Amino acid sequence: VQLQASGGGLVQAGGSLTLSCRASGFTSADYTIGWFRRAPGKEREFVAAIRWNGGRTLYADSNNVRSTISRDNARKTVWLQMNGLKPEDTAVYYCAAGNYMRRSQYDYENWGQGTQVTVSG
C-alpha cells in the first residue's frame, strides 16, 4: 500500500488549498483514507476521513480546517479542500489508510510522506 500526498504550498490567510492523496496497492475497496496534520510543536491531529467503499465521511469535531473531503474512484485519489485558511492551519498534512472509520491516528496503518501547508498572515 502506498499513499502519495501533494498539493501543499504557501497561501495567504483567507485563501483556499486543495490537497490530494493518491492511493495504490489496495487489494479491496474496504478501507478508509484519513487526513491528519501536525503543526510545529504540536501533536498530530485528525482532520477528516472518507470511506472508500460508499464515500461516508467523518470530520474532526471542530472541522478544524473548514475542509471538505471527497474521493475520485477512477483516479484512486482523495481530495481535501480547505477554505478560509488561517496561519494556525500551518502544518504538515498527511494522508493515511486504515481499516476503520475513526479519528485516532493509531487506527491508520499506512501513511504518506506529508505535504507542507504554510499560511501567511
Side-chain angles (χ1 to χ4, degrees):
V1 174
Q2 289 188 331
L3 301 168
Q4 185 171 2
S6 61
L10 176 64
V11 62
Q12 290 186 340
S16 299
L17 206 60
T18 299
L19 306 181
S20 65
C21 176
R22 179 167 175 79
S24 62
F26 290 94
T27 58
S28 76
D30 196 19
Y31 58 89
T32 296
I33 299 292
W35 281 99
F36 292 79
R37 68 179 185 178
R38 176 178 283 162
K42 295 187 177 181
E43 296 289 323
R44 186 156 55 188
E45 64 177 346
F46 174 77
V47 177
I50 189 166
R51 194 68 180 167
W52 194 265
N53 189 9
R56 186 165 58 97
T57 59
L58 179 70
Y59 291 93
D61 289 337
S62 61
N63 194 357
N64 48 5
V65 289
R66 299 154 298 285
S67 59
T68 302
I69 191 169
S70 61
R71 78 198 191 296
D72 183 326
N73 287 351
R75 297 181 182 181
K76 298 184 179 179
T77 299
V78 171
W79 308 94
L80 182 70
Q81 180 179 350
M82 304 186 292
N83 301 311
L85 287 164
K86 303 177 180 180
E88 51 264 42
D89 295 321
T90 294
V92 178
Y93 285 73
Y94 300 87
C95 61
N99 293 323
Y100 304 105
M101 191 74 157
R102 293 177 182 169
R103 294 184 174 93
S104 172
Q105 62 179 315
Y106 301 108
D107 288 310
Y108 294 80
E109 294 83 27
N110 302 100
W111 291 80
Q113 83 285 5
T115 185
Q116 175 71 47
V117 172
T118 302
V119 184
S120 63

